Amino acid sequence: MARFAVELVFGPDTEKRLAVRPSHREYIASLAEKGVVLGAGPYADDSGALIIYEAADEPALKEFIAADPYTPANVITEWKIREWTPVLGRWLND
């Protein structure tokens, strides 16, 4: 399994994004319960968010992103995907 740091850049339509946010958070919570999402949350300045995923590969990750309610709502201007190799952290031994 690979780990990915995915940065979401929020679009300008805050009202629309906030309307979709409960569904997005429910979806991310369901992935966290399955061990796919290791951590997630918005930046303090509300310009975007960071989600850490564990997936078989980038195509599998992109399937999770495609199913995120934020994707069809088109409220994210950019999904910055980077494969990440953590070397320290409490959950590394899981």
Side-chain angles (χ1 to χ4, degrees), residues 39-90:
Y43 295 128
D45 67 0
D46 205 37
S47 64
L50 178 68
I51 305 174
I52 306 297
Y53 291 88
E54 187 169 68
D57 52 28
E58 192 166 332
L61 169 69
K62 288 183 176 181
E63 289 181 21
F64 293 123
I65 291 171
D68 189 315
Y70 275 171
T71 301
N74 201 30
V75 296
I76 305 301
T77 60
E78 186 175 5
W79 297 82
K80 296 179 182 179
I81 298 170
R82 296 188 182 202
E83 190 164 353
W84 181 52
T85 306
V87 295
L88 295 172
R90 299 175 88 183

